[in-house]
Amino acid sequence: MRKVLVIQEDLIILKILERLVTVNHFDCKAIRSLDALTIEDQQSDFEFIITDILFEGIAPLEFVAQVQEIIPHKNLLVVTNMGQDKIKKEIFALKDITGFYAVPIDLDEIEATIQAYS
Amino acid sequence: MTEAGVLLFIQCVLAILVIYWISIAITMVYRKNRMRALERIEHTFADIVSRYLYNNEDDPLLISEINDRLKAVGIRKGNRNNVQYLIRLMIRTQRTILGENYYKLKKLYAQIPPYNASFTKISKWGWYSRARGIREIYEMNQSQYMNEVFKFQNNKNVFVRREAQIAMVVFMGWESLRFLPYLKRNITLWQQIKIVEKLYDLYPKPEMKWLKRAYKTDKLFGKKLLMRIIRKFELHTEIPFIMEHLEHPDYEVRETAIYCIQTFALSTERMDYIKDVYERVANPVQQAQLLNYIYENSDIDVDFYLRQLHGDNDELKLNVAEILWNNGHKEKVQEFYYQQYPENSNLNVE
Amino acid sequence: MLNNIEKFFSGEYVFLATNYFFFFYGIALMTMYFAGVILASRAISRNKKKSRFLQVNDIVSATDIPSVSLIAPAYNEGLTIIENVKSLLSIQYPYYELILVNDGSKDDSLEKLIKEFKLERRDATFITQPIPTATVKYVYKSTLSKYTHLTVLDKNNGGRADALNAGINFATSELVVCTDADCIIEQDALLKMVRPYLEEYHSEIIACGGGIGIANDSVVKNGVMKELRLPNNLVPMVQVVEYIRAFLLGRMAWSEINGLMLVSGAFGMYPRKRVIEVSGFDAKTVGEDLELCIRLRRLMEEKELPYKVVYLPETLCWTEGPPDYDILIKQRDRWARGLWETLKIHRKLFFNPKYRYMGFLYYPYWLFFEFGAPIVEFLGIICIIAFAFFGMINWTMAVLLFTAAYIVGCIFSTAAIFMYVKNFNHYNKPKQVIELLLAAYLEPFLYHPILVYGQMKGYYKKIFRIKSGWGTMTRKGFKVSDT
């Protein structure tokens, strides 16, 4: 089964995204911070990573760069509260970002993206 | 002052000290239990919402089950603190989601507790309850209470009227611009930001009729609000409204106009107008902002920059010199600075 | 000679006048502390309510909020500079820029920064200097996209105030936050600090401060406070209580009546245009934070514009306090000199009707109670010794009065700890709270006399014009967690 990693500090968004991914027939690993990532996870190749950018102790851009570097994946979707155009441009400047969704989000759009890429 | 008097005083203050110790102990115990309870409610609610939005047809989540689970974690009419926490979670979730799921949530909220808690709050006397009630009503889109909420739009308490005015935007959309720019009392920057964002999230299609009508306002906050709307919605046809205000006598209106114009790229004609404005604006900080905008959004106009090099403000001149220096006109900058020294002076340059 | 002294001290009027002076001074001080407790609880409760309507999550997603530059001067901090910068970069704010000012460090700070963040040198010829500072040699920007928010200014040494001014010159944001490179700032601190600027509608916020906490021996991971522990030693432990009391009771109470004259240099936010208008920090005084705040207030009073200086009750910035008596004395000596210099610079304010409350209430308070308290205490000790020597003290009454004053002092500290425990979740273990209370109760015996000594030392240096700068403040550094 293809795998998706969801990283969101907000428990409610985390659960909703986990559910969205699961009903779309993916195996989902949902965590609230990178600390919860196991060595096994770091070795599995995720079809999607859906992540926030606001986490303790790491700058948003650096976080995305770190995720890109340490977790093998095919697509990276950013879902965040800090969704200003300026941030969006900076995130896309990091390259290889599949999508950027600013809160409030239309979950159907994320679902469509997952279905389109998978 | 006698010794007995001082002794009595000592006893009194000791008693106060003991009361404080007891209060600290109670607070700590209460906090520990409360945190655990809140965590339970959050987990339960997150699970309910996720399952409700993406229901499993084989094992559907029923409203009765939802209500039972909420009850089990302490969401009962008598427990106001828990109910209030649930409302906070509901608002947080509603604000996160758009599209079809937004309406699904609205439907869910109509069927679970706390049924009328928000409406009850607006009939209370204190500003805090009222303002909180109004906020909950518009954040959870309970449009049935619209008229009750609108009554507070000119309330003397800043929080109550602010929330009521935002509610007006949530429920009426662009039509609310009929009133907003004409309100009697000033509105804060935050309120302007929130109004623009609510319009953008909930009414993404601009209704120019209302916007244009609002242009007549003479309220400074109204002008600032309208410019922010034009900026957020990138209404290119309305750029002249912003340009008109670049020379407004009020510093903050000018500042908002400069901030908003920076979103747009302008035609050469309009950029020439901005250059004229640059020379007329009396404030060097705002001139520097305009200069930066002109530089980033138009081709190098050597005559314009050379003219500015002879201006009065040294910092602006330095900015202009940097632009010329970095854009292939080093010799002009050198020429300008050398000519400031008398011909026979001994310069320390080789 | 002894006869003359005896005559002086045993004179009925002198004895009575001395007694009454100390009594009324003490009563005035306690009344003010009591008013402080009431005002502070009101301010904290109001602040809590207000924050419900403008939450951090609302601000983090908003457009049109003011841009903020955080300016952090660094001098010879090569040992921790990389962790410190990463910590400051991780602060959450959408329109944020970090300006690190290398103030002529003699160690390898700059080399380390260049290597870690792949910094590229840029020309500094055209940097505008609305506030004159020591020469800025180069500007460095990272070539990596993930560090676009970082700017390093490399300048000649000019001291902390000068380095802050250089950062303010370079910033292009609406608001500037001045801090130290080795402070640990809460992730959402800027989102909270900007709140008053968004909410105020009839006054201009000219300065905003947040609570500062002492975090010696705490555990830090990735530049974030991972585990807040109480210091192991008594000196920093008492400072925890002292800071809680000063920020939660003192600053919040003054903020409630718009009487704040000081926003701490360790963490303060100002509108850039106003700071430039008053020509930035004064590099000649060692109390540059207090001096700037008073100058900003004066500017607004002179222009007759409505303004506010506000404080937030939350602890938003953690720092390391002096770990022993020696360093504590140096620190308080410097603070005392800074206070002396600032009050002297602004002596024009004293009972000057042009400056309204600032002239009639706030400045005199600082003069009589902040500046005057150590002098009064020192004189008090001399008087006790003298009166005791001549057998003029009723010891039973004296002990009772001392006990009463001591318990009242304990009540204020306990009230501050109670308010902190009630409103914030930093010290949540019973053992921690008991230790804090014990430290508070030992403070008058083991800590306060040293404080008075440090302050008097500072005044002594000013009276006899003994030259002294910032002094060295050796820091142990926080415990770093690897797990």
Side-chain angles (χ1 to χ4, degrees), chain B residues 13 17 21 28 31 95 128 159 162 186 188 190 197 228 231 251 259 315, chain C residues 50 52 54 58 62-64 130 198-199 273 411 421-422 424-425 428 441:
Chain B
V13 285
L17 197 61
W21 290 339
M28 291 184 73
R31 181 198 291 278
R95 291 188 45 215
Y128 179 56
F159 289 95
R162 185 175 90 183
N186 214 344
T188 61
W190 176 246
E197 280 174 7
R228 288 183 197 281
R231 177 190 170 273
Y251 179 89
Y259 171 73
E315 280 152 36
Chain C
K50 274 161 77 173
R52 287 272 159 84
L54 181 45
D58 296 326
T63 45
D64 286 7
L198 297 173
E199 283 194 312
K273 69 168 183 190
I411 286 182
V421 169
K422 187 174 168 232
F424 311 107
N425 200 21
N428 49 16
Y441 302 152

mmCIF file of all heavy atoms in Angstrom, chain B residues 13 17 21 28 31 95 128 159 162 186 188 190 197 228 231 251 259 315, chain C residues 50 52 54 58 62-64 130 198-199 273 411 421-422 424-425 428 441:
data_model
loop_
_atom_site.group_PDB
_atom_site.id
_atom_site.type_symbol
_atom_site.label_atom_id
_atom_site.label_comp_id
_atom_site.label_asym_id
_atom_site.label_seq_id
_atom_site.Cartn_x
_atom_site.Cartn_y
_atom_site.Cartn_z
ATOM 1 N N VAL B 13 -1.397 39.812 58.571
ATOM 2 C CA VAL B 13 -0.634 39.593 57.329
ATOM 3 C C VAL B 13 -0.218 38.123 57.196
ATOM 4 O O VAL B 13 -0.157 37.597 56.086
ATOM 5 C CB VAL B 13 0.596 40.534 57.197
ATOM 6 C CG1 VAL B 13 0.176 41.937 56.836
ATOM 7 C CG2 VAL B 13 1.472 40.523 58.413
ATOM 8 N N LEU B 17 -0.939 35.590 54.087
ATOM 9 C CA LEU B 17 0.098 34.750 53.497
ATOM 10 C C LEU B 17 -0.374 33.302 53.373
ATOM 11 O O LEU B 17 -0.206 32.657 52.330
ATOM 12 C CB LEU B 17 1.365 34.829 54.370
ATOM 13 C CG LEU B 17 2.665 34.371 53.740
ATOM 14 C CD1 LEU B 17 3.012 35.210 52.525
ATOM 15 C CD2 LEU B 17 3.814 34.461 54.747
ATOM 16 N N TRP B 21 -0.911 30.748 50.134
ATOM 17 C CA TRP B 21 -0.354 29.393 49.994
ATOM 18 C C TRP B 21 -1.447 28.415 49.567
ATOM 19 O O TRP B 21 -1.255 27.616 48.658
ATOM 20 C CB TRP B 21 0.264 28.916 51.319
ATOM 21 C CG TRP B 21 1.515 29.636 51.709
ATOM 22 C CD1 TRP B 21 2.341 30.326 50.880
ATOM 23 C CD2 TRP B 21 2.093 29.717 53.026
ATOM 24 N NE1 TRP B 21 3.390 30.858 51.593
ATOM 25 C CE2 TRP B 21 3.268 30.492 52.918
ATOM 26 C CE3 TRP B 21 1.735 29.224 54.277
ATOM 27 C CZ2 TRP B 21 4.079 30.785 54.007
ATOM 28 C CZ3 TRP B 21 2.551 29.508 55.363
ATOM 29 C CH2 TRP B 21 3.714 30.280 55.231
ATOM 30 N N MET B 28 -2.760 24.801 41.458
ATOM 31 C CA MET B 28 -1.919 23.798 40.803
ATOM 32 C C MET B 28 -2.664 22.489 40.579
ATOM 33 O O MET B 28 -2.569 21.876 39.518
ATOM 34 C CB MET B 28 -0.653 23.562 41.627
ATOM 35 C CG MET B 28 0.257 24.771 41.576
ATOM 36 S SD MET B 28 1.780 24.521 42.419
ATOM 37 C CE MET B 28 2.612 23.437 41.305
ATOM 38 N N ARG B 31 -5.278 23.045 37.808
ATOM 39 C CA ARG B 31 -4.685 23.142 36.480
ATOM 40 C C ARG B 31 -4.329 21.753 35.924
ATOM 41 O O ARG B 31 -4.574 21.453 34.763
ATOM 42 C CB ARG B 31 -3.428 24.009 36.524
ATOM 43 C CG ARG B 31 -2.779 24.165 35.143
ATOM 44 C CD ARG B 31 -1.368 24.623 35.286
ATOM 45 N NE ARG B 31 -1.293 25.989 35.767
ATOM 46 C CZ ARG B 31 -1.412 27.054 35.000
ATOM 47 N NH1 ARG B 31 -1.608 26.894 33.715
ATOM 48 N NH2 ARG B 31 -1.321 28.252 35.488
ATOM 49 N N ARG B 95 -12.909 27.670 11.067
ATOM 50 C CA ARG B 95 -12.073 28.684 10.427
ATOM 51 C C ARG B 95 -10.995 28.070 9.536
ATOM 52 O O ARG B 95 -10.369 28.746 8.745
ATOM 53 C CB ARG B 95 -11.404 29.557 11.491
ATOM 54 C CG ARG B 95 -12.381 30.438 12.220
ATOM 55 C CD ARG B 95 -11.644 31.390 13.089
ATOM 56 N NE ARG B 95 -10.528 31.960 12.327
ATOM 57 C CZ ARG B 95 -9.365 32.271 12.843
ATOM 58 N NH1 ARG B 95 -9.134 32.069 14.099
ATOM 59 N NH2 ARG B 95 -8.421 32.796 12.104
ATOM 60 N N TYR B 128 -17.431 41.352 27.794
ATOM 61 C CA TYR B 128 -16.653 40.189 27.407
ATOM 62 C C TYR B 128 -17.563 39.074 26.886
ATOM 63 O O TYR B 128 -17.313 38.501 25.819
ATOM 64 C CB TYR B 128 -15.832 39.731 28.617
ATOM 65 C CG TYR B 128 -14.983 38.522 28.379
ATOM 66 C CD1 TYR B 128 -14.045 38.502 27.345
ATOM 67 C CD2 TYR B 128 -15.109 37.394 29.181
ATOM 68 C CE1 TYR B 128 -13.256 37.397 27.128
ATOM 69 C CE2 TYR B 128 -14.315 36.280 28.971
ATOM 70 C CZ TYR B 128 -13.395 36.284 27.953
ATOM 71 O OH TYR B 128 -12.623 35.182 27.733
ATOM 72 N N PHE B 159 -14.712 46.246 21.837
ATOM 73 C CA PHE B 159 -14.704 44.839 21.426
ATOM 74 C C PHE B 159 -16.069 44.401 20.919
ATOM 75 O O PHE B 159 -16.171 43.672 19.947
ATOM 76 C CB PHE B 159 -14.246 43.951 22.586
ATOM 77 C CG PHE B 159 -12.790 44.122 22.880
ATOM 78 C CD1 PHE B 159 -12.360 45.005 23.858
ATOM 79 C CD2 PHE B 159 -11.847 43.451 22.144
ATOM 80 C CE1 PHE B 159 -11.018 45.194 24.103
ATOM 81 C CE2 PHE B 159 -10.497 43.632 22.381
ATOM 82 C CZ PHE B 159 -10.074 44.506 23.364
ATOM 83 N N ARG B 162 -16.660 46.041 17.551
ATOM 84 C CA ARG B 162 -15.751 45.488 16.555
ATOM 85 C C ARG B 162 -16.244 44.121 16.062
ATOM 86 O O ARG B 162 -16.315 43.869 14.863
ATOM 87 C CB ARG B 162 -14.365 45.334 17.180
ATOM 88 C CG ARG B 162 -13.319 44.879 16.208
ATOM 89 C CD ARG B 162 -11.969 44.877 16.862
ATOM 90 N NE ARG B 162 -11.704 43.578 17.488
ATOM 91 C CZ ARG B 162 -10.609 43.301 18.190
ATOM 92 N NH1 ARG B 162 -9.707 44.224 18.397
ATOM 93 N NH2 ARG B 162 -10.413 42.114 18.699
ATOM 94 N N ASN B 186 -13.673 55.281 15.155
ATOM 95 C CA ASN B 186 -12.511 54.770 14.450
ATOM 96 C C ASN B 186 -12.445 53.243 14.515
ATOM 97 O O ASN B 186 -12.910 52.652 15.474
ATOM 98 C CB ASN B 186 -11.278 55.329 15.169
ATOM 99 C CG ASN B 186 -10.162 55.589 14.218
ATOM 100 O OD1 ASN B 186 -10.178 55.091 13.087
ATOM 101 N ND2 ASN B 186 -9.184 56.343 14.652
ATOM 102 N N THR B 188 -9.798 49.777 14.242
ATOM 103 C CA THR B 188 -8.370 49.481 14.394
ATOM 104 C C THR B 188 -7.808 48.840 13.128
ATOM 105 O O THR B 188 -8.554 48.373 12.265
ATOM 106 C CB THR B 188 -8.148 48.483 15.549
ATOM 107 O OG1 THR B 188 -8.843 47.283 15.215
ATOM 108 C CG2 THR B 188 -8.651 49.026 16.855
ATOM 109 N N TRP B 190 -6.330 46.035 13.066
ATOM 110 C CA TRP B 190 -6.706 44.626 13.075
ATOM 111 C C TRP B 190 -8.091 44.416 12.478
ATOM 112 O O TRP B 190 -8.331 43.476 11.731
ATOM 113 C CB TRP B 190 -6.646 44.054 14.496
ATOM 114 C CG TRP B 190 -7.116 42.642 14.501
ATOM 115 C CD1 TRP B 190 -8.220 42.145 15.088
ATOM 116 C CD2 TRP B 190 -6.494 41.550 13.817
ATOM 117 N NE1 TRP B 190 -8.332 40.803 14.825
ATOM 118 C CE2 TRP B 190 -7.301 40.418 14.040
ATOM 119 C CE3 TRP B 190 -5.359 41.423 13.017
ATOM 120 C CZ2 TRP B 190 -6.991 39.170 13.517
ATOM 121 C CZ3 TRP B 190 -5.049 40.168 12.493
ATOM 122 C CH2 TRP B 190 -5.853 39.064 12.746
ATOM 123 N N GLU B 197 -9.986 40.095 5.158
ATOM 124 C CA GLU B 197 -9.801 38.646 5.058
ATOM 125 C C GLU B 197 -11.116 37.878 5.025
ATOM 126 O O GLU B 197 -11.241 36.893 4.306
ATOM 127 C CB GLU B 197 -8.910 38.155 6.190
ATOM 128 C CG GLU B 197 -7.477 38.448 5.794
ATOM 129 C CD GLU B 197 -6.470 38.146 6.855
ATOM 130 O OE1 GLU B 197 -6.844 37.585 7.887
ATOM 131 O OE2 GLU B 197 -5.303 38.496 6.634
ATOM 132 N N ARG B 228 -7.065 48.793 1.224
ATOM 133 C CA ARG B 228 -6.619 47.427 1.553
ATOM 134 C C ARG B 228 -7.438 46.385 0.782
ATOM 135 O O ARG B 228 -6.920 45.354 0.366
ATOM 136 C CB ARG B 228 -6.752 47.164 3.052
ATOM 137 C CG ARG B 228 -5.719 47.904 3.871
ATOM 138 C CD ARG B 228 -5.818 47.560 5.343
ATOM 139 N NE ARG B 228 -5.114 48.545 6.136
ATOM 140 C CZ ARG B 228 -3.799 48.584 6.293
ATOM 141 N NH1 ARG B 228 -3.047 47.664 5.728
ATOM 142 N NH2 ARG B 228 -3.223 49.520 7.010
ATOM 143 N N ARG B 231 -6.193 46.277 -2.734
ATOM 144 C CA ARG B 231 -4.910 45.573 -2.770
ATOM 145 C C ARG B 231 -5.113 44.055 -2.694
ATOM 146 O O ARG B 231 -4.590 43.311 -3.504
ATOM 147 C CB ARG B 231 -4.043 46.040 -1.604
ATOM 148 C CG ARG B 231 -2.740 45.338 -1.509
ATOM 149 C CD ARG B 231 -2.014 45.649 -0.215
ATOM 150 N NE ARG B 231 -0.884 44.757 -0.081
ATOM 151 C CZ ARG B 231 -0.926 43.560 0.460
ATOM 152 N NH1 ARG B 231 -2.056 43.100 0.953
ATOM 153 N NH2 ARG B 231 0.141 42.801 0.515
ATOM 154 N N TYR B 251 -0.678 61.384 7.329
ATOM 155 C CA TYR B 251 0.496 60.524 7.174
ATOM 156 C C TYR B 251 0.097 59.051 6.995
ATOM 157 O O TYR B 251 0.601 58.355 6.114
ATOM 158 C CB TYR B 251 1.400 60.676 8.410
ATOM 159 C CG TYR B 251 2.636 59.812 8.371
ATOM 160 C CD1 TYR B 251 3.808 60.285 7.788
ATOM 161 C CD2 TYR B 251 2.637 58.526 8.895
ATOM 162 C CE1 TYR B 251 4.953 59.495 7.734
ATOM 163 C CE2 TYR B 251 3.773 57.726 8.841
ATOM 164 C CZ TYR B 251 4.919 58.216 8.270
ATOM 165 O OH TYR B 251 6.047 57.425 8.215
ATOM 166 N N TYR B 259 1.803 51.556 0.749
ATOM 167 C CA TYR B 259 1.856 50.115 0.989
ATOM 168 C C TYR B 259 1.029 49.365 -0.053
ATOM 169 O O TYR B 259 1.464 48.348 -0.607
ATOM 170 C CB TYR B 259 1.347 49.831 2.409
ATOM 171 C CG TYR B 259 1.142 48.383 2.713
ATOM 172 C CD1 TYR B 259 2.228 47.537 2.898
ATOM 173 C CD2 TYR B 259 -0.143 47.849 2.810
ATOM 174 C CE1 TYR B 259 2.047 46.195 3.168
ATOM 175 C CE2 TYR B 259 -0.336 46.513 3.074
ATOM 176 C CZ TYR B 259 0.754 45.691 3.253
ATOM 177 O OH TYR B 259 0.563 44.352 3.517
ATOM 178 N N GLU B 315 20.190 61.157 2.940
ATOM 179 C CA GLU B 315 19.939 59.714 2.876
ATOM 180 C C GLU B 315 19.273 59.317 1.569
ATOM 181 O O GLU B 315 19.609 58.305 0.963
ATOM 182 C CB GLU B 315 19.054 59.290 4.035
ATOM 183 C CG GLU B 315 19.845 59.137 5.310
ATOM 184 C CD GLU B 315 19.004 59.393 6.516
ATOM 185 O OE1 GLU B 315 17.830 59.023 6.487
ATOM 186 O OE2 GLU B 315 19.510 59.995 7.471
ATOM 187 N N LYS C 50 -8.675 40.157 26.336
ATOM 188 C CA LYS C 50 -8.455 40.768 25.023
ATOM 189 C C LYS C 50 -7.825 39.786 24.042
ATOM 190 O O LYS C 50 -8.150 39.775 22.863
ATOM 191 C CB LYS C 50 -7.552 42.005 25.165
ATOM 192 C CG LYS C 50 -8.341 43.260 25.505
ATOM 193 C CD LYS C 50 -7.471 44.332 26.084
ATOM 194 C CE LYS C 50 -6.650 45.054 25.077
ATOM 195 N NZ LYS C 50 -5.934 46.218 25.659
ATOM 196 N N ARG C 52 -8.327 36.776 23.699
ATOM 197 C CA ARG C 52 -9.297 35.830 23.139
ATOM 198 C C ARG C 52 -9.802 36.309 21.777
ATOM 199 O O ARG C 52 -10.198 35.531 20.934
ATOM 200 C CB ARG C 52 -10.501 35.695 24.068
ATOM 201 C CG ARG C 52 -10.239 34.934 25.323
ATOM 202 C CD ARG C 52 -10.482 33.433 25.090
ATOM 203 N NE ARG C 52 -9.791 32.617 26.067
ATOM 204 C CZ ARG C 52 -10.255 32.327 27.273
ATOM 205 N NH1 ARG C 52 -11.427 32.765 27.623
ATOM 206 N NH2 ARG C 52 -9.572 31.586 28.098
ATOM 207 N N LEU C 54 -8.055 38.187 19.647
ATOM 208 C CA LEU C 54 -6.997 38.335 18.650
ATOM 209 C C LEU C 54 -5.935 37.302 19.000
ATOM 210 O O LEU C 54 -4.954 37.579 19.686
ATOM 211 C CB LEU C 54 -6.426 39.759 18.693
ATOM 212 C CG LEU C 54 -5.322 40.118 17.706
ATOM 213 C CD1 LEU C 54 -5.636 39.614 16.325
ATOM 214 C CD2 LEU C 54 -5.119 41.609 17.665
ATOM 215 N N ASP C 58 -4.747 33.832 14.567
ATOM 216 C CA ASP C 58 -5.328 34.849 13.674
ATOM 217 C C ASP C 58 -4.212 35.671 13.052
ATOM 218 O O ASP C 58 -4.239 36.006 11.875
ATOM 219 C CB ASP C 58 -6.230 35.824 14.454
ATOM 220 C CG ASP C 58 -7.438 35.134 15.049
ATOM 221 O OD1 ASP C 58 -7.927 34.202 14.407
ATOM 222 O OD2 ASP C 58 -7.871 35.532 16.145
ATOM 223 N N ALA C 62 -2.508 36.322 8.987
ATOM 224 C CA ALA C 62 -2.992 37.598 8.445
ATOM 225 C C ALA C 62 -2.004 38.253 7.481
ATOM 226 O O ALA C 62 -0.796 38.131 7.637
ATOM 227 C CB ALA C 62 -3.273 38.553 9.605
ATOM 228 N N THR C 63 -2.563 38.928 6.497
ATOM 229 C CA THR C 63 -1.725 39.765 5.634
ATOM 230 C C THR C 63 -1.855 41.194 6.184
ATOM 231 O O THR C 63 -2.669 41.448 7.057
ATOM 232 C CB THR C 63 -2.211 39.750 4.175
ATOM 233 O OG1 THR C 63 -3.616 39.909 4.198
ATOM 234 C CG2 THR C 63 -1.852 38.476 3.478
ATOM 235 N N ASP C 64 -1.068 42.088 5.685
ATOM 236 C CA ASP C 64 -1.153 43.499 6.091
ATOM 237 C C ASP C 64 -0.692 43.774 7.521
ATOM 238 O O ASP C 64 -0.873 44.873 8.019
ATOM 239 C CB ASP C 64 -2.586 44.069 5.956
ATOM 240 C CG ASP C 64 -2.945 44.308 4.510
ATOM 241 O OD1 ASP C 64 -2.151 43.915 3.642
ATOM 242 O OD2 ASP C 64 -4.005 44.897 4.256
ATOM 243 N N PRO C 130 20.725 57.006 9.108
ATOM 244 C CA PRO C 130 19.975 58.067 9.784
ATOM 245 C C PRO C 130 20.468 58.259 11.224
ATOM 246 O O PRO C 130 20.421 59.352 11.760
ATOM 247 C CB PRO C 130 18.532 57.577 9.765
ATOM 248 C CG PRO C 130 18.508 56.293 9.054
ATOM 249 C CD PRO C 130 19.874 55.929 8.613
ATOM 250 N N LEU C 198 -1.730 46.287 16.578
ATOM 251 C CA LEU C 198 -2.883 46.045 15.710
ATOM 252 C C LEU C 198 -4.171 46.537 16.340
ATOM 253 O O LEU C 198 -5.109 46.897 15.652
ATOM 254 C CB LEU C 198 -3.023 44.542 15.430
ATOM 255 C CG LEU C 198 -1.882 43.865 14.678
ATOM 256 C CD1 LEU C 198 -2.101 42.362 14.628
ATOM 257 C CD2 LEU C 198 -1.788 44.403 13.264
ATOM 258 N N GLU C 199 -4.209 46.525 17.667
ATOM 259 C CA GLU C 199 -5.478 46.778 18.346
ATOM 260 C C GLU C 199 -5.705 48.216 18.759
ATOM 261 O O GLU C 199 -6.827 48.605 19.015
ATOM 262 C CB GLU C 199 -5.552 45.908 19.603
ATOM 263 C CG GLU C 199 -5.880 44.482 19.280
ATOM 264 C CD GLU C 199 -6.275 43.727 20.517
ATOM 265 O OE1 GLU C 199 -5.552 43.840 21.510
ATOM 266 O OE2 GLU C 199 -7.291 43.035 20.475
ATOM 267 N N LYS C 273 10.356 54.154 12.777
ATOM 268 C CA LYS C 273 10.400 55.590 12.424
ATOM 269 C C LYS C 273 10.567 56.465 13.663
ATOM 270 O O LYS C 273 11.257 57.473 13.629
ATOM 271 C CB LYS C 273 9.175 55.997 11.597
ATOM 272 C CG LYS C 273 7.878 55.999 12.343
ATOM 273 C CD LYS C 273 6.761 56.667 11.572
ATOM 274 C CE LYS C 273 5.533 56.674 12.468
ATOM 275 N NZ LYS C 273 4.301 57.054 11.885
ATOM 276 N N ILE C 411 4.471 38.719 51.399
ATOM 277 C CA ILE C 411 3.150 38.666 50.761
ATOM 278 C C ILE C 411 3.247 39.129 49.308
ATOM 279 O O ILE C 411 2.682 38.514 48.398
ATOM 280 C CB ILE C 411 2.127 39.527 51.536
ATOM 281 C CG1 ILE C 411 1.757 38.797 52.820
ATOM 282 C CG2 ILE C 411 0.876 39.790 50.702
ATOM 283 C CD1 ILE C 411 0.731 39.507 53.647
ATOM 284 N N VAL C 421 1.786 31.431 38.721
ATOM 285 C CA VAL C 421 1.361 30.028 38.658
ATOM 286 C C VAL C 421 -0.058 29.933 38.085
ATOM 287 O O VAL C 421 -0.371 29.045 37.297
ATOM 288 C CB VAL C 421 1.419 29.403 40.077
ATOM 289 C CG1 VAL C 421 0.730 28.049 40.115
ATOM 290 C CG2 VAL C 421 2.865 29.268 40.521
ATOM 291 N N LYS C 422 -0.890 30.894 38.449
ATOM 292 C CA LYS C 422 -2.288 30.868 38.004
ATOM 293 C C LYS C 422 -2.401 31.119 36.496
ATOM 294 O O LYS C 422 -3.204 30.506 35.810
ATOM 295 C CB LYS C 422 -3.067 31.949 38.766
ATOM 296 C CG LYS C 422 -4.549 31.902 38.505
ATOM 297 C CD LYS C 422 -5.268 32.903 39.388
ATOM 298 C CE LYS C 422 -6.683 33.060 38.910
ATOM 299 N NZ LYS C 422 -7.063 34.434 38.688
ATOM 300 N N PHE C 424 0.269 31.238 34.065
ATOM 301 C CA PHE C 424 1.218 30.637 33.123
ATOM 302 C C PHE C 424 1.638 29.256 33.606
ATOM 303 O O PHE C 424 1.659 28.991 34.793
ATOM 304 C CB PHE C 424 2.448 31.540 32.945
ATOM 305 C CG PHE C 424 2.060 32.962 32.665
ATOM 306 C CD1 PHE C 424 2.216 33.946 33.628
ATOM 307 C CD2 PHE C 424 1.485 33.298 31.464
ATOM 308 C CE1 PHE C 424 1.820 35.243 33.390
ATOM 309 C CE2 PHE C 424 1.086 34.595 31.210
ATOM 310 C CZ PHE C 424 1.248 35.576 32.177
ATOM 311 N N ASN C 425 2.024 28.458 32.631
ATOM 312 C CA ASN C 425 2.283 27.065 32.972
ATOM 313 C C ASN C 425 3.783 26.748 33.020
ATOM 314 O O ASN C 425 4.182 25.637 32.722
ATOM 315 C CB ASN C 425 1.574 26.183 31.930
ATOM 316 C CG ASN C 425 1.380 24.780 32.437
ATOM 317 O OD1 ASN C 425 1.399 24.565 33.649
ATOM 318 N ND2 ASN C 425 1.235 23.838 31.541
ATOM 319 N N ASN C 428 5.243 24.328 37.047
ATOM 320 C CA ASN C 428 4.005 23.613 37.388
ATOM 321 C C ASN C 428 4.201 22.447 38.348
ATOM 322 O O ASN C 428 3.279 21.699 38.615
ATOM 323 C CB ASN C 428 3.304 23.142 36.107
ATOM 324 C CG ASN C 428 4.263 22.438 35.181
ATOM 325 O OD1 ASN C 428 5.347 22.041 35.602
ATOM 326 N ND2 ASN C 428 3.883 22.295 33.922
ATOM 327 N N TYR C 441 11.484 34.010 50.408
ATOM 328 C CA TYR C 441 11.526 34.335 51.826
ATOM 329 C C TYR C 441 12.958 34.531 52.339
ATOM 330 O O TYR C 441 13.177 35.176 53.350
ATOM 331 C CB TYR C 441 10.797 33.256 52.643
ATOM 332 C CG TYR C 441 9.344 33.076 52.212
ATOM 333 C CD1 TYR C 441 8.672 31.870 52.360
ATOM 334 C CD2 TYR C 441 8.644 34.126 51.608
ATOM 335 C CE1 TYR C 441 7.358 31.714 51.935
ATOM 336 C CE2 TYR C 441 7.336 33.971 51.168
ATOM 337 C CZ TYR C 441 6.700 32.771 51.335
ATOM 338 O OH TYR C 441 5.413 32.626 50.900
#
